[in-house]
Amino acid sequence: MEAATAATAAMVWFRKGLRVHDNPALDAARRGAGRLYPVFVLDPRYLRPDPAAASLGSARAGVARVRFLLQSLSDLDARLRRLGSRLLLVRARDDVGDAVCAALKDWNIGKLCFESDTEPYALSRDKKVTDFAMASGIEVFTPVSHTLFDPAEIIKKNGGRPPLTYQSFISIAGEPPEPVMEEYSELPPVGDTGEYELLPVPTVEELGYGDISQEEIPPFRGGETEALRRMKESLKNKEWVAKFEKPKGDPSAFLKPATTVLSPYLKFGCLSSRYFYHCIQNVYRSVRNHTKPPVSLAGQLLWRDFFYTVSFGTPNFDQMKGNNICKQIPWIGNEELFVAWRDGRTGYPWIDAIMIQLRKCGWMHHLARHSVACFLTRGDLFIHWEKGRDVFERLLIDSDWAINNGNWLWLSCSSFFYQYHRIYSPITFGKKYDPDGNYIRHFIPMLKGTSGTTFQHQYELSSEVKMVHHETASKECRKRMGEAYASSRLDGNPIEGKPSNVSRRKMSHGDQDASSPSIAKLLKRSS
Ligand code: FAD
């Protein structure tokens, strides 16, 4: 084995941040390095097949997201190879931290660079590796580059607590740093890996999830190349960017989605959020007028950072118990109803089609996510948001710990948003966007090939198998939410600026959507 000296060998450890552009960890690792080890470790926590799972995949990731990850790794490898390097894929037997520590030692690494990550799992994994590296005299550099801002900095500026409204977040955040856009002509050569078994990027079939031949292949391909293409395509239409206004847009548009579908690329870091933000600003500079946060396209990226910041500064953010920004609500655990919701068998075509789209494509429009999250929790079934969160977490290709939990807290009126009497109707909301039933017919096998064009007709086809009666169920949910809000269990819940007895008119929270005028109108019509 060629002796790589500590002074010349650097490792860039990819986890998220699966890109070459705007990658400060890669940039720092390559500087002055005689040998560069670009490493990704396959993590059994996310990849190990789980035959008992509700659909094919691992316990934590459905096949669609695993495929997206593998495509992203192949693309990263190809892009590194064009620069004279390559991705070194290592399989962890169990603990990823252990695998990285072993490689640091075996390859005599002098400098380790990886992107900072604020998820609890990542924090403990990274601490283990950092402690080992420091104790071994290895230089460690962990830049913040997954988000626009550094969540720790924002919390510090806010007096040690995360800002709990979008507006307060914006007023503290300011402008994000510019992306690092240096173009490389080559990277340092890859160091000798000795006895290590380096794997080619496996196919999803090789990971052993069983017969995936019947699985639909989602229309979104992973990787930086596709991310940059998709972003450029979205931003080409300057008028669309300038007028972008969430929550306007058709949630039933599945052939040409109403939003960018860049979320999976941002999740895996195939696209840098700072570069995306920077490119949006360039479009804004070239037009006369444009929409503003929270509804604008740039405003969506700020929502992302908002949830990252709150999640980083809130203990037990991903659960109700012990989470001091989460209302304590006595949810009911009805397994039969939950499974029907999860599997798209509620009998409400709008709800079922969305859940089937989730399973098949791993992505749905924001308002579609609203509909099914509201239905599961405070709208109809009164089932715990954590159960719905788990299903989304496993099946979404853009599954993101901070954003997913944040939005489930929001939709279930457990935090951030408290207008629980505003409920999406699973009938009229769908009817509004899918009057001809094209969306539901596409996703619900039973309705495929049925004649009749109106949504109403499609709805009636399945009305006898409805799991719950919406009018009755939603009335009961409102009653339960009212009782929970009024109960003493909510006292002392330190939600910023929140009166303890929440009244509709008094609400003044950071308005993501449901309290913005347009969504309020939509909800009024639907409920
Ligand atoms: P665009 O409208 O094009 O927005 C651009 C980017 O802004 C997105 O890619 C995303 O990174 C960010 N963004 C947009 N909306 C939000 C939002 N409400 N909160 C935070 N960031 C946002 N998004 C995820 O990325 N991962 C999740 O796991 C996730 N879970 C959700 C769960 C529920 C119950 C709900 C209601 C929403 C969830 N979202 C999640 C937020 C949102 O629905 C998606 O980010 C969005 O639909 C992705 O599509 P897009 O890329 O076309 O978004």
Side-chain angles (χ1 to χ4, degrees):
M1 170 172 167
E2 182 192 298
T5 65
T8 59
M11 180 192 287
V12 53
W13 175 23
F14 288 96
R15 305 94 60 77
K16 295 171 186 165
L18 301 178
R19 63 176 184 268
V20 173
H21 75 276
D22 188 28
N23 191 330
L26 171 64
D27 196 56
R30 80 180 175 101
R31 282 178 196 276
R35 294 279 182 270
L36 181 65
Y37 292 78
V39 171
F40 183 89
V41 184
L42 293 174
D43 189 345
R45 176 182 157 93
Y46 291 103
L47 298 177
R48 186 180 288 136
D50 181 1
S55 62
L56 293 180
S58 73
R60 289 191 168 82
V63 167
R65 187 160 82 256
V66 173
R67 182 182 278 113
F68 193 94
L69 166 68
L70 299 179
Q71 289 169 342
S72 302
L73 293 175
S74 293
D75 185 63
L76 178 62
D77 184 43
R79 292 176 80 92
L80 291 171
R81 280 177 195 268
R82 262 178 253 144
L83 298 171
S85 184
R86 63 166 290 197
L87 191 63
L88 303 174
L89 207 64
V90 174
R91 192 190 293 271
R93 222 175 276 144
D94 192 25
D95 185 273
V96 170
D98 289 344
V100 175
C101 293
L104 288 172
K105 184 162 159 278
D106 293 344
W107 297 338
N108 202 13
I109 300 294
K111 183 176 180 183
L112 168 67
C113 303
F114 61 88
E115 183 181 65
S116 157
D117 190 329
T118 50
E119 280 182 39
Y121 167 68
L123 285 170
S124 66
R125 176 196 62 195
D126 295 352
K127 182 175 181 320
K128 183 178 199 172
V129 173
T130 305
D131 288 350
F132 173 85
M134 307 271 257
S136 312
I138 297 169
E139 185 189 339
V140 180
F141 177 61
T142 59
V144 174
S145 49
H146 189 61
T147 43
L148 297 174
F149 303 96
D150 179 349
E153 273 294 306
I154 303 263
I155 291 170
K156 200 166 139 203
K157 281 193 203 161
N158 194 45
R161 291 183 313 139
L164 292 175
T165 67
Y166 186 80
Q167 286 314 331
S168 56
F169 171 80
I170 297 280
S171 65
I172 294 163
E175 277 301 305
E178 285 291 306
V180 182
M181 291 309 292
E182 197 167 331
E183 299 253 341
Y184 310 126
S185 54
E186 62 174 0
L187 289 170
V190 176
D192 190 340
T193 52
E195 305 294 303
Y196 267 70
E197 189 206 350
L198 295 173
L199 313 161
V201 176
T203 61
V204 78
E205 286 80 4
E206 285 164 355
L207 291 177
Y209 297 123
D211 179 15
I212 59 164
S213 60
Q214 301 305 311
E215 293 286 304
E216 203 157 299
I217 299 190
F220 314 112
R221 189 179 172 76
E224 178 180 8
T225 307
E226 177 60 13
L228 294 172
R229 189 205 65 76
R230 199 172 178 95
M231 183 194 76
K232 283 188 185 130
E233 187 68 30
S234 294
L235 299 188
K236 217 164 62 186
N237 187 344
K238 292 184 179 180
E239 198 189 336
W240 181 81
V241 176
K243 291 188 172 159
F244 185 98
E245 206 175 324
K246 269 279 203 46
K248 286 185 185 161
D250 179 359
S252 75
F254 59 95
L255 293 175
K256 192 177 181 314
T259 52
T260 64
V261 193
L262 285 169
S263 49
Y265 303 93
L266 289 162
K267 179 246 155 50
F268 284 107
C270 303
L271 177 64
S272 147
S273 62
R274 283 181 195 154
Y275 181 52
F276 185 18
Y277 186 88
H278 170 87
C279 293
I280 296 171
Q281 298 302 326
N282 280 345
V283 174
Y284 287 165
R285 275 190 280 276
S286 70
V287 293
R288 263 165 171 252
N289 291 311
H290 59 84
T291 50
K292 303 265 158 35
V295 296
S296 61
L297 190 52
Q300 303 313 300
L301 284 176
L302 293 165
W303 277 115
R304 179 175 180 269
D305 262 59
F306 168 72
F307 285 122
Y308 267 84
T309 307
V310 182
S311 68
F312 183 55
T314 306
N316 303 313
F317 183 72
D318 60 353
Q319 58 191 56
M320 182 171 83
K321 292 216 168 92
N323 176 351
N324 72 359
I325 66 164
C326 179
K327 293 213 172 266
Q328 305 299 300
I329 295 167
W331 303 106
I332 292 169
N334 184 321
E335 193 60 17
E336 199 193 337
L337 290 180
F338 166 69
V339 169
W341 174 85
R342 184 194 66 196
D343 296 348
R345 287 188 289 101
T346 64
Y348 286 97
W350 176 245
I351 300 298
D352 294 348
I354 296 168
M355 293 308 289
I356 295 168
Q357 186 184 15
L358 168 62
R359 204 176 61 232
K360 290 191 166 174
C361 303
W363 185 91
M364 317 88 91
H365 185 274
H366 187 55
L367 288 180
R369 300 181 196 209
H370 272 224
S371 299
V372 294
C374 179
F375 185 87
L376 179 77
T377 57
R378 64 185 172 83
D380 290 79
L381 304 186
F382 215 72
I383 289 174
H384 206 309
W385 61 269
E386 289 173 18
K387 300 214 33 145
R389 180 276 317 277
D390 286 345
V391 173
F392 271 36
E393 188 168 296
R394 183 168 180 273
L395 295 181
L396 280 171
I397 52 172
D398 63 25
S399 168
D400 181 298
W401 186 81
I403 308 178
N404 195 33
N405 280 296
N407 276 282
W408 274 98
L409 283 163
W410 187 296
L411 260 298
S412 62
C413 281
S414 295
S415 195
F416 307 114
F417 173 72
Y418 304 99
Q419 297 175 34
Y420 62 80
H421 38 79
R422 290 187 171 173
I423 288 174
Y424 290 90
S425 159
I427 304 158
T428 51
F429 196 70
K431 221 167 164 183
K432 172 183 155 60
Y433 286 107
D434 190 33
D436 298 331
N438 292 331
Y439 175 71
I440 57 166
R441 263 205 306 272
H442 181 83
F443 284 106
I444 302 179
M446 194 177 91
L447 299 182
K448 265 186 190 146
T450 51
S451 57
T453 50
T454 66
F455 182 89
Q456 188 59 39
H457 178 63
Q458 302 304 341
Y459 169 67
E460 261 142 35
L461 275 177
S462 55
S463 60
E464 68 276 13
V465 293
K466 285 196 311 276
M467 300 291 294
V468 290
H469 185 257
H470 172 64
E471 291 300 316
T472 321
S474 58
K475 210 167 151 192
E476 181 62 24
C477 282
R478 281 193 187 95
K479 188 169 145 273
R480 287 193 178 132
M481 288 298 285
E483 284 163 10
Y485 268 45
S487 100
S488 56
R489 256 170 303 182
L490 302 172
D491 287 350
N493 189 358
I495 293 175
E496 198 177 71
K498 180 191 70 59
S500 58
N501 262 332
V502 182
S503 89
R504 187 179 192 163
R505 260 163 282 119
K506 279 184 192 157
M507 289 311 306
S508 61
H509 277 99
D511 300 334
Q512 183 184 17
D513 351 89
S515 42
S516 78
S518 35
I519 193 72
K521 249 186 263 157
L522 283 177
L523 282 169
K524 227 179 196 165
R525 259 182 264 134
S526 320
S527 53

